Amino acid sequence: MTSTIDTRPRIASERLLLRQIVRADLARLACMANDYDVAAMTSSMPHPYALSDAEAFFDAVQAQDPARDVTFAIERVGKGVIGVLGFNPRDEETPEIGYWIGRPYWGRGYATEAVRTALDWVRSEWGRRAILALHFTDNPASAAVLIKAGFLYTGQVRPTFSRARASHANGRMMVWLA
């Protein structure tokens, strides 16, 4: 009999659990991601967002190398999955954080709590000392989350393609240092 040990982290905060995405999450994630105002604030999410997009995302997450890429479902304890947070390699040294929260959960501090919790894990367990972030200039809520989590502006503004918008939008680069 072969057994496998799940090495993917599970991180708990006061109200949230950051954990592996499972197939049972996909319908809920697809429903929340199929909101233009959610997808348009990301670079990689299409709109409309179908269950097949969630399945393709799940397959890509399953193929990640946990030394370079880590993706979490953001679960509101007792309420289910409310979004996604991940770290993807921007270059060989510095991963970039990306996250989104479903509209019904906006304005409640969940994104800030998830980002802070993930950064604590980055520092203590993943061993990274710097993380990059980009937020679109028309997304002040994401800017506020990143600032509260300790990110600083680099001064770089760059056009970044958004699949949902099907166009480029200006993104402001930020960095977090452990």
Side-chain angles (χ1 to χ4, degrees):
M1 174 180 224
T2 303
S3 84
T4 58
I5 298 171
D6 185 5
T7 59
R8 298 171 199 247
R10 291 175 59 91
I11 310 160
S13 66
E14 183 178 332
R15 303 177 296 169
L16 302 174
L17 176 65
L18 283 83
R19 59 159 176 83
Q20 180 179 0
I21 297 171
V22 296
R23 284 208 182 272
D25 297 329
L26 299 184
R28 183 173 167 95
L29 287 173
C31 182
M32 285 186 289
N34 192 32
D35 179 330
Y36 180 79
D37 290 335
V38 171
M41 294 304 161
T42 73
S43 59
S44 60
M45 283 175 44
H47 187 268
Y49 194 96
L51 182 57
S52 60
D53 295 306
E55 290 166 346
F57 174 71
F58 177 78
D59 292 341
V61 167
Q62 295 305 302
Q64 288 178 333
D65 173 0
R68 294 177 37 92
D69 309 283
V70 180
T71 302
F72 298 99
I74 303 169
E75 180 180 323
R76 171 70 172 101
V77 178
K79 301 290 184 191
V81 174
I82 64 170
V84 172
L85 180 147
F87 297 97
N88 297 297
R90 180 166 166 78
D91 59 41
E92 289 302 313
E93 298 298 318
T94 312
E96 184 173 335
I97 190 172
Y99 57 88
W100 63 268
I101 300 286
R103 183 191 298 266
Y105 305 97
W106 288 1
R108 299 180 188 183
Y110 295 131
T112 301
E113 185 175 336
V115 170
R116 284 179 172 162
T117 300
L119 291 173
D120 287 344
W121 171 80
V122 162
R123 180 187 305 110
S124 65
E125 301 296 324
W126 206 28
R128 302 301 175 106
R129 297 294 170 240
I131 300 292
L132 295 173
L134 178 139
H135 73 83
F136 289 121
T137 57
D138 60 351
N139 190 352
S142 191
V145 166
L146 294 167
I147 289 167
K148 286 183 227 173
F151 281 82
L152 303 171
Y153 283 106
T154 66
Q156 181 183 11
V157 176
R158 65 179 169 102
T160 302
F161 189 76
S162 166
R163 284 183 66 194
R165 298 176 193 215
S167 66
H168 283 81
N170 283 332
R172 295 186 70 191
M173 290 301 301
M174 301 182 81
V175 65
W176 171 86
L177 302 171

